Protein backbone atom coordinates (compact mmCIF):
# COMPACT_ATOMS: atom_id res chain seq x y z
CA UNK A 1 0.00 0.00 0.00
CA UNK A 2 2.82 2.37 0.85
CA UNK A 3 4.38 1.84 -2.57
CA UNK A 4 1.04 2.66 -4.24
CA UNK A 5 0.81 5.90 -2.24
CA UNK A 6 4.42 6.72 -3.11
CA UNK A 7 3.72 6.01 -6.81
CA UNK A 8 0.63 8.26 -6.72
CA UNK A 9 2.62 11.03 -5.04
CA UNK A 10 5.39 10.66 -7.59
CA UNK A 11 2.89 10.96 -10.45
CA UNK A 12 1.30 14.03 -8.87
CA UNK A 13 4.69 15.68 -8.46
CA UNK A 14 5.60 14.88 -12.07
CA UNK A 15 2.28 16.30 -13.28
CA UNK A 16 2.67 19.50 -11.26
CA UNK A 17 6.27 19.84 -12.42
CA UNK A 18 5.23 19.43 -16.05
CA UNK A 19 2.48 22.03 -15.62
CA UNK A 20 5.00 24.43 -14.07
CA UNK A 21 7.45 23.88 -16.93
CA UNK A 22 4.70 24.44 -19.49
CA UNK A 23 3.48 27.59 -17.72
CA UNK A 24 7.03 28.92 -17.48
CA UNK A 25 7.61 28.25 -21.17
CA UNK A 26 4.37 29.99 -22.08
CA UNK A 27 5.24 32.99 -19.92
CA UNK A 28 8.73 33.18 -21.41
CA UNK A 29 7.29 33.07 -24.93
CA UNK A 30 4.89 35.89 -24.07
CA UNK A 31 7.79 38.00 -22.79
CA UNK A 32 9.74 37.32 -25.99
CA UNK A 33 6.69 38.18 -28.11
CA UNK A 34 6.11 41.43 -26.23
CA UNK A 35 9.78 42.39 -26.49
CA UNK A 36 9.75 41.62 -30.20
CA UNK A 37 6.61 43.71 -30.69
CA UNK A 38 8.07 46.59 -28.67
CA UNK A 39 11.29 46.39 -30.68
CA UNK A 40 9.36 46.44 -33.94
CA UNK A 41 7.35 49.45 -32.81
CA UNK A 42 10.56 51.24 -31.85
CA UNK A 43 12.13 50.45 -35.23
CA UNK A 44 8.98 51.64 -37.02
CA UNK A 45 9.14 54.92 -35.08
CA UNK A 46 12.85 55.38 -35.86
CA UNK A 47 12.20 54.70 -39.53
CA UNK A 48 9.28 57.15 -39.62
CA UNK A 49 11.26 59.82 -37.78
CA UNK A 50 14.27 59.34 -40.06
CA UNK A 51 12.12 59.59 -43.18
CA UNK A 52 10.48 62.77 -41.88
CA UNK A 53 13.90 64.28 -41.19
CA UNK A 54 15.12 63.34 -44.67
CA UNK A 55 12.00 64.86 -46.23
CA UNK A 56 12.36 68.10 -44.24
CA UNK A 57 16.06 68.35 -45.09
CA UNK A 58 15.36 67.75 -48.78
CA UNK A 59 12.63 70.40 -48.77
CA UNK A 60 14.88 72.90 -47.01
CA UNK A 61 17.70 72.22 -49.48
CA UNK A 62 15.30 72.62 -52.39
CA UNK A 63 13.96 75.89 -51.00
CA UNK A 64 17.49 77.16 -50.35
CA UNK A 65 18.62 76.23 -53.84
CA UNK A 66 15.51 77.84 -55.32
CA UNK A 67 16.11 80.99 -53.29
CA UNK A 68 19.72 81.18 -54.41
CA UNK A 69 18.70 80.52 -58.00
CA UNK A 70 16.21 83.38 -57.86
CA UNK A 71 18.73 85.66 -56.16
CA UNK A 72 21.32 85.07 -58.86
CA UNK A 73 18.78 85.10 -61.68
CA UNK A 74 19.19 81.43 -62.58
CA UNK A 75 15.60 80.55 -61.67
CA UNK A 76 12.42 82.60 -61.85
Amino acid sequence: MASKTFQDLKQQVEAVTQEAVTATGTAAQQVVDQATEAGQKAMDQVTKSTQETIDKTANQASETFSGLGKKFGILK
Side-chain angles (χ1 to χ4, degrees):
M1 187 63 135
S3 66
K4 173 77 170 139
T5 303
F6 180 74
Q7 185 65 27
D8 290 343
L9 180 60
K10 180 182 173 192
Q11 289 175 346
Q12 289 175 354
V13 169
E14 288 173 348
V16 168
T17 301
Q18 184 59 48
E19 288 175 17
V21 168
T22 301
T24 301
T26 300
Q29 185 61 50
Q30 288 173 348
V31 168
V32 168
D33 291 347
Q34 289 173 354
T36 301
E37 184 178 337
Q40 184 62 49
K41 285 180 181 179
M43 286 302 299
D44 290 347
Q45 185 60 39
V46 167
T47 301
K48 179 182 175 187
S49 177
T50 301
Q51 186 61 51
E52 289 172 353
T53 300
I54 290 169
D55 291 346
K56 287 178 185 177
T57 303
N59 286 338
Q60 289 173 348
S62 178
E63 290 171 6
T64 300
F65 180 75
S66 178
L68 288 173
K70 289 177 184 177
K71 183 175 183 177
F72 291 111
I74 299 170
L75 299 172
K76 293 184 178 188

